Amino acid sequence: MTQLATLFTEIPDLAPSPAAAWWLLIPVAALALGRLVFLTVRWFRADSETRVSLRQAHRIRRTWRRLAPMTGLAITDPTPTTTDQLRSNGHLVEPKVKLPRIKTTVDQFGVTVTANTLLRVGLQAWQDAADDLCNGWGMQRSRSASPGPASSPPAASATNPSTLHFPHRSFRLTGHQP
């Protein structure tokens, strides 16, 4: 036992020095500053309709974890993983709630949400939950379509594009007369 104790006292300290922690902070701060600049430039370059869509996309991403189980777009996985079983110390492991991952794309007419499907959460489930999603996200209408296997993008519009009025712009061409 004494040999083991002396072995641990002879091992040098492997903890990083405080100066190394400051060097790690520089790239993290640079990445955060780059993201902030990107989002700020995106906001200021957008027109008013796109800014409405940007706010709506943020709201969709922010409320997704709470809204998905309420609309029936989440599944409960009762099978614990091996890591969960080892960490449980003999206690029961609670089932995990799995949500489809979403990605939002913004344009001036609304927000397109692309979601991966899960088992028992396919295109039909998205179509059944369309009204609830419109209410939860504050949208006027939605559309669900499947561009390919394992993805189902519901598109939500803050305004109805068919009722929008686009003003007619007249252009006058000027030229030289001979």
PDB file of all heavy atoms in Angstrom, residues 136-169:
ATOM      1  N   GLY A 136     -49.797  27.152 -31.932  1.00  0.00           N
ATOM      2  CA  GLY A 136     -48.655  27.284 -31.035  1.00  0.00           C
ATOM      3  C   GLY A 136     -47.607  28.243 -31.544  1.00  0.00           C
ATOM      4  O   GLY A 136     -46.931  28.915 -30.758  1.00  0.00           O
ATOM      5  N   TRP A 137     -47.426  28.318 -32.842  1.00  0.00           N
ATOM      6  CA  TRP A 137     -46.410  29.182 -33.427  1.00  0.00           C
ATOM      7  C   TRP A 137     -46.959  30.526 -33.872  1.00  0.00           C
ATOM      8  O   TRP A 137     -46.212  31.379 -34.327  1.00  0.00           O
ATOM      9  CB  TRP A 137     -45.740  28.493 -34.605  1.00  0.00           C
ATOM     10  CG  TRP A 137     -44.889  27.326 -34.207  1.00  0.00           C
ATOM     11  CD1 TRP A 137     -44.362  27.081 -32.983  1.00  0.00           C
ATOM     12  CD2 TRP A 137     -44.479  26.255 -35.049  1.00  0.00           C
ATOM     13  NE1 TRP A 137     -43.636  25.912 -33.012  1.00  0.00           N
ATOM     14  CE2 TRP A 137     -43.694  25.384 -34.270  1.00  0.00           C
ATOM     15  CE3 TRP A 137     -44.695  25.936 -36.374  1.00  0.00           C
ATOM     16  CZ2 TRP A 137     -43.115  24.244 -34.778  1.00  0.00           C
ATOM     17  CZ3 TRP A 137     -44.111  24.785 -36.889  1.00  0.00           C
ATOM     18  CH2 TRP A 137     -43.337  23.945 -36.090  1.00  0.00           C
ATOM     19  N   GLY A 138     -48.273  30.730 -33.781  1.00  0.00           N
ATOM     20  CA  GLY A 138     -48.861  31.999 -34.172  1.00  0.00           C
ATOM     21  C   GLY A 138     -48.877  32.207 -35.672  1.00  0.00           C
ATOM     22  O   GLY A 138     -48.675  33.316 -36.147  1.00  0.00           O
ATOM     23  N   MET A 139     -49.146  31.159 -36.426  1.00  0.00           N
ATOM     24  CA  MET A 139     -49.145  31.232 -37.882  1.00  0.00           C
ATOM     25  C   MET A 139     -50.574  31.210 -38.406  1.00  0.00           C
ATOM     26  O   MET A 139     -51.495  30.748 -37.733  1.00  0.00           O
ATOM     27  CB  MET A 139     -48.375  30.056 -38.485  1.00  0.00           C
ATOM     28  CG  MET A 139     -46.925  30.063 -38.169  1.00  0.00           C
ATOM     29  SD  MET A 139     -46.170  31.427 -39.010  1.00  0.00           S
ATOM     30  CE  MET A 139     -44.490  31.191 -38.616  1.00  0.00           C
ATOM     31  N   GLN A 140     -50.757  31.674 -39.639  1.00  0.00           N
ATOM     32  CA  GLN A 140     -52.074  31.675 -40.248  1.00  0.00           C
ATOM     33  C   GLN A 140     -52.364  30.376 -40.982  1.00  0.00           C
ATOM     34  O   GLN A 140     -53.483  29.900 -40.990  1.00  0.00           O
ATOM     35  CB  GLN A 140     -52.200  32.847 -41.225  1.00  0.00           C
ATOM     36  CG  GLN A 140     -52.262  34.172 -40.543  1.00  0.00           C
ATOM     37  CD  GLN A 140     -52.486  35.299 -41.533  1.00  0.00           C
ATOM     38  OE1 GLN A 140     -52.582  35.081 -42.733  1.00  0.00           O
ATOM     39  NE2 GLN A 140     -52.588  36.498 -41.026  1.00  0.00           N
ATOM     40  N   ARG A 141     -51.363  29.815 -41.632  1.00  0.00           N
ATOM     41  CA  ARG A 141     -51.593  28.574 -42.363  1.00  0.00           C
ATOM     42  C   ARG A 141     -50.321  27.758 -42.360  1.00  0.00           C
ATOM     43  O   ARG A 141     -49.240  28.266 -42.104  1.00  0.00           O
ATOM     44  CB  ARG A 141     -52.036  28.846 -43.796  1.00  0.00           C
ATOM     45  CG  ARG A 141     -51.009  29.496 -44.657  1.00  0.00           C
ATOM     46  CD  ARG A 141     -51.558  29.809 -46.043  1.00  0.00           C
ATOM     47  NE  ARG A 141     -50.484  30.227 -46.915  1.00  0.00           N
ATOM     48  CZ  ARG A 141     -49.813  29.428 -47.725  1.00  0.00           C
ATOM     49  NH1 ARG A 141     -50.107  28.148 -47.770  1.00  0.00           N
ATOM     50  NH2 ARG A 141     -48.844  29.887 -48.472  1.00  0.00           N
ATOM     51  N   SER A 142     -50.470  26.460 -42.653  1.00  0.00           N
ATOM     52  CA  SER A 142     -49.303  25.588 -42.736  1.00  0.00           C
ATOM     53  C   SER A 142     -49.540  24.555 -43.817  1.00  0.00           C
ATOM     54  O   SER A 142     -50.663  24.312 -44.248  1.00  0.00           O
ATOM     55  CB  SER A 142     -49.029  24.911 -41.395  1.00  0.00           C
ATOM     56  OG  SER A 142     -50.039  23.971 -41.127  1.00  0.00           O
ATOM     57  N   ARG A 143     -48.453  23.951 -44.237  1.00  0.00           N
ATOM     58  CA  ARG A 143     -48.502  22.932 -45.273  1.00  0.00           C
ATOM     59  C   ARG A 143     -47.458  21.885 -44.927  1.00  0.00           C
ATOM     60  O   ARG A 143     -46.351  22.210 -44.528  1.00  0.00           O
ATOM     61  CB  ARG A 143     -48.181  23.577 -46.619  1.00  0.00           C
ATOM     62  CG  ARG A 143     -47.986  22.622 -47.756  1.00  0.00           C
ATOM     63  CD  ARG A 143     -47.584  23.348 -49.034  1.00  0.00           C
ATOM     64  NE  ARG A 143     -46.330  24.091 -48.909  1.00  0.00           N
ATOM     65  CZ  ARG A 143     -45.124  23.555 -49.086  1.00  0.00           C
ATOM     66  NH1 ARG A 143     -45.007  22.277 -49.333  1.00  0.00           N
ATOM     67  NH2 ARG A 143     -44.047  24.301 -48.983  1.00  0.00           N
ATOM     68  N   SER A 144     -47.795  20.619 -45.076  1.00  0.00           N
ATOM     69  CA  SER A 144     -46.856  19.536 -44.817  1.00  0.00           C
ATOM     70  C   SER A 144     -46.653  18.750 -46.096  1.00  0.00           C
ATOM     71  O   SER A 144     -47.609  18.381 -46.772  1.00  0.00           O
ATOM     72  CB  SER A 144     -47.369  18.600 -43.726  1.00  0.00           C
ATOM     73  OG  SER A 144     -47.483  19.272 -42.508  1.00  0.00           O
ATOM     74  N   ALA A 145     -45.410  18.491 -46.420  1.00  0.00           N
ATOM     75  CA  ALA A 145     -45.072  17.720 -47.613  1.00  0.00           C
ATOM     76  C   ALA A 145     -43.826  16.907 -47.308  1.00  0.00           C
ATOM     77  O   ALA A 145     -43.067  17.224 -46.403  1.00  0.00           O
ATOM     78  CB  ALA A 145     -44.819  18.645 -48.800  1.00  0.00           C
ATOM     79  N   SER A 146     -43.624  15.862 -48.074  1.00  0.00           N
ATOM     80  CA  SER A 146     -42.470  14.998 -47.873  1.00  0.00           C
ATOM     81  C   SER A 146     -41.595  15.035 -49.125  1.00  0.00           C
ATOM     82  O   SER A 146     -41.954  14.464 -50.149  1.00  0.00           O
ATOM     83  CB  SER A 146     -42.921  13.570 -47.588  1.00  0.00           C
ATOM     84  OG  SER A 146     -41.798  12.751 -47.388  1.00  0.00           O
ATOM     85  N   PRO A 147     -40.440  15.705 -49.058  1.00  0.00           N
ATOM     86  CA  PRO A 147     -39.570  15.762 -50.227  1.00  0.00           C
ATOM     87  C   PRO A 147     -38.817  14.466 -50.462  1.00  0.00           C
ATOM     88  O   PRO A 147     -38.304  14.234 -51.543  1.00  0.00           O
ATOM     89  CB  PRO A 147     -38.607  16.892 -49.900  1.00  0.00           C
ATOM     90  CG  PRO A 147     -38.539  16.884 -48.422  1.00  0.00           C
ATOM     91  CD  PRO A 147     -39.911  16.465 -47.960  1.00  0.00           C
ATOM     92  N   GLY A 148     -38.734  13.634 -49.467  1.00  0.00           N
ATOM     93  CA  GLY A 148     -38.022  12.370 -49.604  1.00  0.00           C
ATOM     94  C   GLY A 148     -38.224  11.537 -48.358  1.00  0.00           C
ATOM     95  O   GLY A 148     -38.953  11.925 -47.446  1.00  0.00           O
ATOM     96  N   PRO A 149     -37.605  10.377 -48.297  1.00  0.00           N
ATOM     97  CA  PRO A 149     -37.759   9.538 -47.112  1.00  0.00           C
ATOM     98  C   PRO A 149     -37.077  10.148 -45.894  1.00  0.00           C
ATOM     99  O   PRO A 149     -36.073  10.839 -46.009  1.00  0.00           O
ATOM    100  CB  PRO A 149     -37.084   8.225 -47.524  1.00  0.00           C
ATOM    101  CG  PRO A 149     -36.154   8.600 -48.619  1.00  0.00           C
ATOM    102  CD  PRO A 149     -36.755   9.773 -49.306  1.00  0.00           C
ATOM    103  N   ALA A 150     -37.665   9.934 -44.758  1.00  0.00           N
ATOM    104  CA  ALA A 150     -37.144  10.319 -43.441  1.00  0.00           C
ATOM    105  C   ALA A 150     -37.071  11.813 -43.220  1.00  0.00           C
ATOM    106  O   ALA A 150     -36.323  12.275 -42.391  1.00  0.00           O
ATOM    107  CB  ALA A 150     -35.773   9.692 -43.188  1.00  0.00           C
ATOM    108  N   SER A 151     -37.830  12.613 -43.945  1.00  0.00           N
ATOM    109  CA  SER A 151     -37.907  14.039 -43.634  1.00  0.00           C
ATOM    110  C   SER A 151     -39.291  14.538 -43.984  1.00  0.00           C
ATOM    111  O   SER A 151     -39.903  14.072 -44.935  1.00  0.00           O
ATOM    112  CB  SER A 151     -36.850  14.838 -44.393  1.00  0.00           C
ATOM    113  OG  SER A 151     -37.105  14.788 -45.767  1.00  0.00           O
ATOM    114  N   SER A 152     -39.775  15.452 -43.194  1.00  0.00           N
ATOM    115  CA  SER A 152     -41.110  15.994 -43.402  1.00  0.00           C
ATOM    116  C   SER A 152     -41.104  17.461 -43.037  1.00  0.00           C
ATOM    117  O   SER A 152     -41.084  17.801 -41.864  1.00  0.00           O
ATOM    118  CB  SER A 152     -42.111  15.242 -42.525  1.00  0.00           C
ATOM    119  OG  SER A 152     -43.359  15.837 -42.619  1.00  0.00           O
ATOM    120  N   PRO A 153     -41.069  18.357 -44.023  1.00  0.00           N
ATOM    121  CA  PRO A 153     -41.007  19.774 -43.672  1.00  0.00           C
ATOM    122  C   PRO A 153     -42.362  20.450 -43.622  1.00  0.00           C
ATOM    123  O   PRO A 153     -42.998  20.610 -44.655  1.00  0.00           O
ATOM    124  CB  PRO A 153     -40.170  20.369 -44.798  1.00  0.00           C
ATOM    125  CG  PRO A 153     -40.498  19.511 -45.971  1.00  0.00           C
ATOM    126  CD  PRO A 153     -40.822  18.151 -45.427  1.00  0.00           C
ATOM    127  N   PRO A 154     -42.847  20.819 -42.474  1.00  0.00           N
ATOM    128  CA  PRO A 154     -44.038  21.653 -42.448  1.00  0.00           C
ATOM    129  C   PRO A 154     -43.645  23.102 -42.718  1.00  0.00           C
ATOM    130  O   PRO A 154     -42.713  23.607 -42.121  1.00  0.00           O
ATOM    131  CB  PRO A 154     -44.559  21.485 -41.029  1.00  0.00           C
ATOM    132  CG  PRO A 154     -43.364  21.128 -40.244  1.00  0.00           C
ATOM    133  CD  PRO A 154     -42.423  20.413 -41.164  1.00  0.00           C
ATOM    134  N   ALA A 155     -44.308  23.743 -43.617  1.00  0.00           N
ATOM    135  CA  ALA A 155     -44.022  25.141 -43.924  1.00  0.00           C
ATOM    136  C   ALA A 155     -45.093  25.992 -43.274  1.00  0.00           C
ATOM    137  O   ALA A 155     -46.274  25.710 -43.411  1.00  0.00           O
ATOM    138  CB  ALA A 155     -44.012  25.356 -45.423  1.00  0.00           C
ATOM    139  N   ALA A 156     -44.690  27.012 -42.579  1.00  0.00           N
ATOM    140  CA  ALA A 156     -45.637  27.877 -41.890  1.00  0.00           C
ATOM    141  C   ALA A 156     -45.465  29.298 -42.400  1.00  0.00           C
ATOM    142  O   ALA A 156     -44.348  29.751 -42.593  1.00  0.00           O
ATOM    143  CB  ALA A 156     -45.389  27.823 -40.384  1.00  0.00           C
ATOM    144  N   SER A 157     -46.576  29.975 -42.618  1.00  0.00           N
ATOM    145  CA  SER A 157     -46.527  31.343 -43.115  1.00  0.00           C
ATOM    146  C   SER A 157     -47.173  32.280 -42.113  1.00  0.00           C
ATOM    147  O   SER A 157     -48.259  32.011 -41.613  1.00  0.00           O
ATOM    148  CB  SER A 157     -47.272  31.465 -44.445  1.00  0.00           C
ATOM    149  OG  SER A 157     -46.641  30.699 -45.428  1.00  0.00           O
ATOM    150  N   ALA A 158     -46.491  33.386 -41.848  1.00  0.00           N
ATOM    151  CA  ALA A 158     -47.050  34.388 -40.965  1.00  0.00           C
ATOM    152  C   ALA A 158     -48.153  35.167 -41.671  1.00  0.00           C
ATOM    153  O   ALA A 158     -49.064  35.672 -41.052  1.00  0.00           O
ATOM    154  CB  ALA A 158     -45.969  35.342 -40.478  1.00  0.00           C
ATOM    155  N   THR A 159     -48.067  35.259 -42.980  1.00  0.00           N
ATOM    156  CA  THR A 159     -49.096  35.924 -43.781  1.00  0.00           C
ATOM    157  C   THR A 159     -49.505  34.984 -44.903  1.00  0.00           C
ATOM    158  O   THR A 159     -48.772  34.072 -45.260  1.00  0.00           O
ATOM    159  CB  THR A 159     -48.573  37.227 -44.395  1.00  0.00           C
ATOM    160  OG1 THR A 159     -47.447  36.918 -45.221  1.00  0.00           O
ATOM    161  CG2 THR A 159     -48.171  38.221 -43.322  1.00  0.00           C
ATOM    162  N   ASN A 160     -50.668  35.200 -45.436  1.00  0.00           N
ATOM    163  CA  ASN A 160     -51.140  34.385 -46.541  1.00  0.00           C
ATOM    164  C   ASN A 160     -50.643  35.012 -47.847  1.00  0.00           C
ATOM    165  O   ASN A 160     -51.098  36.089 -48.225  1.00  0.00           O
ATOM    166  CB  ASN A 160     -52.669  34.314 -46.515  1.00  0.00           C
ATOM    167  CG  ASN A 160     -53.205  33.286 -47.485  1.00  0.00           C
ATOM    168  OD1 ASN A 160     -52.469  32.737 -48.304  1.00  0.00           O
ATOM    169  ND2 ASN A 160     -54.494  33.012 -47.380  1.00  0.00           N
ATOM    170  N   PRO A 161     -49.709  34.370 -48.563  1.00  0.00           N
ATOM    171  CA  PRO A 161     -49.147  34.979 -49.756  1.00  0.00           C
ATOM    172  C   PRO A 161     -50.174  35.216 -50.862  1.00  0.00           C
ATOM    173  O   PRO A 161     -49.999  36.092 -51.694  1.00  0.00           O
ATOM    174  CB  PRO A 161     -48.087  33.979 -50.227  1.00  0.00           C
ATOM    175  CG  PRO A 161     -47.801  33.132 -49.055  1.00  0.00           C
ATOM    176  CD  PRO A 161     -49.049  33.125 -48.227  1.00  0.00           C
ATOM    177  N   SER A 162     -51.258  34.463 -50.872  1.00  0.00           N
ATOM    178  CA  SER A 162     -52.242  34.651 -51.932  1.00  0.00           C
ATOM    179  C   SER A 162     -53.070  35.924 -51.730  1.00  0.00           C
ATOM    180  O   SER A 162     -53.693  36.403 -52.662  1.00  0.00           O
ATOM    181  CB  SER A 162     -53.169  33.435 -52.017  1.00  0.00           C
ATOM    182  OG  SER A 162     -53.871  33.285 -50.804  1.00  0.00           O
ATOM    183  N   THR A 163     -53.079  36.480 -50.523  1.00  0.00           N
ATOM    184  CA  THR A 163     -53.856  37.696 -50.279  1.00  0.00           C
ATOM    185  C   THR A 163     -52.977  38.944 -50.190  1.00  0.00           C
ATOM    186  O   THR A 163     -53.476  40.020 -49.914  1.00  0.00           O
ATOM    187  CB  THR A 163     -54.650  37.569 -48.969  1.00  0.00           C
ATOM    188  OG1 THR A 163     -53.728  37.398 -47.893  1.00  0.00           O
ATOM    189  CG2 THR A 163     -55.627  36.418 -49.032  1.00  0.00           C
ATOM    190  N   LEU A 164     -51.685  38.793 -50.400  1.00  0.00           N
ATOM    191  CA  LEU A 164     -50.800  39.946 -50.336  1.00  0.00           C
ATOM    192  C   LEU A 164     -51.005  40.841 -51.550  1.00  0.00           C
ATOM    193  O   LEU A 164     -51.258  40.370 -52.653  1.00  0.00           O
ATOM    194  CB  LEU A 164     -49.338  39.509 -50.273  1.00  0.00           C
ATOM    195  CG  LEU A 164     -48.885  38.848 -48.980  1.00  0.00           C
ATOM    196  CD1 LEU A 164     -47.423  38.457 -49.093  1.00  0.00           C
ATOM    197  CD2 LEU A 164     -49.067  39.793 -47.814  1.00  0.00           C
ATOM    198  N   HIS A 165     -50.880  42.116 -51.338  1.00  0.00           N
ATOM    199  CA  HIS A 165     -50.994  43.085 -52.422  1.00  0.00           C
ATOM    200  C   HIS A 165     -49.596  43.581 -52.765  1.00  0.00           C
ATOM    201  O   HIS A 165     -48.908  44.132 -51.927  1.00  0.00           O
ATOM    202  CB  HIS A 165     -51.876  44.259 -52.003  1.00  0.00           C
ATOM    203  CG  HIS A 165     -51.914  45.355 -53.029  1.00  0.00           C
ATOM    204  ND1 HIS A 165     -52.502  45.183 -54.251  1.00  0.00           N
ATOM    205  CD2 HIS A 165     -51.424  46.615 -53.011  1.00  0.00           C
ATOM    206  CE1 HIS A 165     -52.381  46.303 -54.942  1.00  0.00           C
ATOM    207  NE2 HIS A 165     -51.725  47.180 -54.198  1.00  0.00           N
ATOM    208  N   PHE A 166     -49.185  43.319 -53.981  1.00  0.00           N
ATOM    209  CA  PHE A 166     -47.908  43.810 -54.448  1.00  0.00           C
ATOM    210  C   PHE A 166     -48.168  45.054 -55.292  1.00  0.00           C
ATOM    211  O   PHE A 166     -48.859  44.987 -56.297  1.00  0.00           O
ATOM    212  CB  PHE A 166     -47.190  42.750 -55.290  1.00  0.00           C
ATOM    213  CG  PHE A 166     -46.787  41.560 -54.479  1.00  0.00           C
ATOM    214  CD1 PHE A 166     -47.513  40.385 -54.540  1.00  0.00           C
ATOM    215  CD2 PHE A 166     -45.693  41.616 -53.639  1.00  0.00           C
ATOM    216  CE1 PHE A 166     -47.152  39.298 -53.794  1.00  0.00           C
ATOM    217  CE2 PHE A 166     -45.326  40.529 -52.887  1.00  0.00           C
ATOM    218  CZ  PHE A 166     -46.048  39.367 -52.955  1.00  0.00           C
ATOM    219  N   PRO A 167     -47.635  46.186 -54.879  1.00  0.00           N
ATOM    220  CA  PRO A 167     -47.908  47.418 -55.623  1.00  0.00           C
ATOM    221  C   PRO A 167     -47.279  47.365 -57.009  1.00  0.00           C
ATOM    222  O   PRO A 167     -46.193  46.823 -57.195  1.00  0.00           O
ATOM    223  CB  PRO A 167     -47.259  48.503 -54.757  1.00  0.00           C
ATOM    224  CG  PRO A 167     -46.239  47.797 -53.946  1.00  0.00           C
ATOM    225  CD  PRO A 167     -46.755  46.404 -53.737  1.00  0.00           C
ATOM    226  N   HIS A 168     -48.005  47.929 -57.955  1.00  0.00           N
ATOM    227  CA  HIS A 168     -47.507  47.990 -59.324  1.00  0.00           C
ATOM    228  C   HIS A 168     -46.531  49.150 -59.437  1.00  0.00           C
ATOM    229  O   HIS A 168     -46.837  50.268 -59.040  1.00  0.00           O
ATOM    230  CB  HIS A 168     -48.674  48.180 -60.301  1.00  0.00           C
ATOM    231  CG  HIS A 168     -48.222  48.358 -61.706  1.00  0.00           C
ATOM    232  ND1 HIS A 168     -47.673  47.336 -62.425  1.00  0.00           N
ATOM    233  CD2 HIS A 168     -48.223  49.450 -62.512  1.00  0.00           C
ATOM    234  CE1 HIS A 168     -47.355  47.783 -63.634  1.00  0.00           C
ATOM    235  NE2 HIS A 168     -47.681  49.081 -63.710  1.00  0.00           N
ATOM    236  N   ARG A 169     -45.374  48.868 -59.912  1.00  0.00           N
ATOM    237  CA  ARG A 169     -44.382  49.907 -60.083  1.00  0.00           C
ATOM    238  C   ARG A 169     -44.262  50.223 -61.570  1.00  0.00           C
ATOM    239  O   ARG A 169     -44.100  49.331 -62.387  1.00  0.00           O
ATOM    240  CB  ARG A 169     -43.031  49.457 -59.544  1.00  0.00           C
ATOM    241  CG  ARG A 169     -43.033  49.278 -58.055  1.00  0.00           C
ATOM    242  CD  ARG A 169     -41.672  48.913 -57.550  1.00  0.00           C
ATOM    243  NE  ARG A 169     -41.719  48.729 -56.107  1.00  0.00           N
ATOM    244  CZ  ARG A 169     -40.789  48.115 -55.421  1.00  0.00           C
ATOM    245  NH1 ARG A 169     -39.741  47.638 -56.024  1.00  0.00           N
ATOM    246  NH2 ARG A 169     -40.902  47.985 -54.127  1.00  0.00           N
TER     247      ARG A 169
END
